[in-house]
Amino acid sequence: SSVFGIICNLFCVFTSFRGSAVAIIIGKNVAKPNQFDPTVKMWVFEEIINGRKLTEIINTEHENVKYLPGHKLPDNVVAVPDLLEASDGADIFVFVLPHQFIGRLCDQMKDRVKSDAFGISLIKGIDEGPEGLNLISDIIREKLGIEMSVLMGANIASEVAEEKFCETTIGCRNKEHGQILKDLMQTPNFRISVVEECDTVEICGALKNIVAVGAGFCDGLGFGDNTKAAVIRLGLMEMVCFARLFCKGPVTSATFLESCGVADLITTCYGGRNRRVAEAFVRTGKSVEELEKELLNGQKLQGPQTSSEVYKVLKQKNLVNKFPLFAAVFEICYEGRPVKDFITCLQNHPEHF
């Protein structure tokens, strides 16, 4: 229910290392006496790990041994392999999974969702549709008929799980829901700011992964910190320009100064998976798909995939030349453009948009 102060049943779609890290926070918070039901139902895509079901391992050993090994989940986080069973009766939905799977998942759930439920997406990606840009929160909202918020920020999963201090941003148009979600997820070491610019917050979370791939290219080519600083600055310029062109609501500079903006961008360009895999892409000559299997335990990397979606949107609007960094990342990852050409997009980048 969206009425603050009553018991809220939770449903969480957590199938990744980020999801498991957030499950630790939510599980501990709802275990305290408050407005939330103390049990968190966590839908997990069933896999066999060393001859045992992943859900069985999570529910007995309280550890996601595949995606976040070495970190204990609270006992009140219950892994459920059946999607409809997990989502039945939920008041709050928390989505954390690769964005290419969200449409199919929502189609399975749509007839079982309460009319007054609401959700929050931690999914960092976008989708390209016949009308142009589709935000993941919009896809969920349209398919499930519920109000959606988003959470994005400089939150490397392993550091969140280790309870190292970090900040994050919730984009929420409904102030009541924003307060409930903040109560659900904030801790002394996971500080949350709530802003109204949902679309801007979500765009930041998606686009920064493209820039991080560019930062990884620089590391692989041995260009150093000065070049990476240029990638971050020029990438941020393209992020701001893209948001102002495609976000439906207002886009203010202040939101880019929140954790979802420049902080997440810097963190990802120095410490994230997209940077690390992009560096390996340069040094090994292997494909993105090969490196996903080797370095990410089969998980999908969001930066290259998002660059593909963004490129389609830009091409549809005849704007590719306006975003040389975004375009170069896509062309290098998918069209065989030599990675050494990446420096060209920096040298010839327009000074102003």
Side-chain angles (χ1 to χ4, degrees):
S1 169
S2 61
V3 180
F4 184 72
I6 73 164
I7 298 296
C8 292
N9 301 307
L10 287 163
F11 162 74
C12 304
V13 183
F14 288 147
T15 59
S16 65
F17 74 116
R18 289 183 65 241
S20 297
V22 175
I24 294 173
I25 291 176
I26 293 177
K28 288 180 178 179
N29 277 354
V30 302
K32 305 169 187 175
N34 52 32
Q35 73 266 28
F36 303 109
D37 188 287
T39 299
V40 178
K41 291 187 290 184
M42 178 173 75
W43 177 73
V44 174
F45 180 77
E46 192 68 280
E47 300 177 66
I48 302 300
I49 310 293
N50 296 325
R52 297 176 62 193
K53 294 179 179 179
L54 180 56
T55 52
E56 176 191 332
I57 297 171
I58 291 173
N59 290 333
T60 56
E61 300 176 15
H62 307 291
E63 181 181 350
N64 190 333
V65 294
K66 178 168 184 179
Y67 296 115
L68 197 66
H71 297 281
K72 291 294 183 181
L73 293 161
D75 293 357
N76 60 325
V77 175
V78 179
V80 181
D82 183 273
L83 178 62
L84 297 183
E85 178 187 343
S87 58
D88 189 44
D91 297 297
I92 301 174
F93 292 82
V94 183
F95 296 91
V96 195
L97 75 164
H99 74 273
Q100 56 265 39
F101 302 124
I102 193 63
R104 190 188 327 155
L105 181 137
C106 288
D107 285 339
Q108 294 176 58
M109 293 169 51
K110 61 185 178 183
D111 295 327
R112 301 287 289 271
V113 175
K114 295 167 67 173
S115 60
D116 58 351
F118 60 96
I120 185 166
S121 170
L122 283 66
I123 301 169
K124 296 187 175 183
I126 60 172
D127 190 29
E128 181 267 339
E131 302 302 319
L133 179 71
N134 281 334
L135 297 176
I136 302 304
S137 64
D138 286 339
I139 293 172
I140 299 171
R141 183 182 295 110
E142 290 165 8
K143 287 183 175 290
L144 299 185
I146 62 174
E147 285 196 44
M148 285 295 300
S149 301
V150 296
L151 182 148
M152 306 286 160
N155 314 136
I156 293 176
S158 58
E159 296 183 15
V160 172
E162 292 164 7
E163 299 187 35
K164 295 178 179 177
F165 178 81
C166 65
E167 299 178 311
T168 197
T169 311
I170 289 179
C172 182
R173 297 182 182 91
N174 184 311
K175 290 183 178 180
E176 185 179 31
H177 290 176
Q179 184 60 55
I180 293 172
L181 293 167
K182 185 173 182 177
D183 290 343
L184 174 66
M185 306 178 84
Q186 181 164 261
T187 74
N189 287 320
F190 193 68
R191 187 167 68 184
I192 294 173
S193 296
V194 182
V195 301
E196 292 186 14
E197 286 182 28
C198 285
D199 289 359
T200 308
V201 172
E202 188 166 2
I203 283 286
C204 284
L207 299 182
K208 58 94 181 182
N209 284 328
I210 305 177
V211 185
V213 173
F217 290 162
C218 287
D219 290 339
L221 293 165
F223 285 140
D225 287 339
N226 290 340
T227 306
K228 188 185 286 189
V231 170
I232 293 171
R233 187 185 76 84
L234 296 172
L236 180 62
M237 288 173 60
E238 292 194 14
M239 288 168 60
V240 173
C241 182
F242 191 94
R244 287 176 173 163
L245 285 170
F246 292 102
C247 286
K248 294 186 288 290
V251 176
T252 63
S253 299
T255 301
F256 288 90
L257 298 178
E258 296 285 347
S259 180
C260 64
V262 67
D264 196 9
L265 178 61
I266 292 170
T267 299
T268 308
C269 286
Y270 278 94
R273 295 182 302 162
N274 289 277
R275 187 220 62 81
R276 177 164 57 96
V277 175
E279 180 181 7
F281 178 88
V282 178
R283 295 192 186 277
T284 67
K286 295 179 179 179
S287 69
V288 171
E289 292 76 13
E290 289 175 297
L291 293 168
E292 286 172 339
K293 293 176 183 176
E294 291 182 16
L295 301 178
L296 301 181
N297 209 5
Q299 293 186 79
K300 292 295 181 183
L301 198 66
Q302 295 302 304
Q305 178 70 31
T306 303
S307 77
S308 176
E309 303 294 348
V310 164
Y311 191 87
K312 292 173 188 173
V313 172
L314 294 177
K315 193 170 183 179
Q316 187 182 62
K317 303 292 184 182
N318 199 28
L319 292 170
V320 170
N321 291 336
K322 197 173 180 65
F323 295 86
L325 192 152
F326 289 173
V329 169
F330 166 75
E331 290 163 358
I332 291 167
C333 287
Y334 293 110
E335 295 198 332
R337 181 176 178 181
V339 70
K340 61 181 176 59
D341 282 1
F342 184 68
I343 193 70
T344 306
C345 83
L346 306 180
Q347 294 168 335
N348 299 327
H349 204 285
E351 292 185 15
H352 304 286
F353 278 91

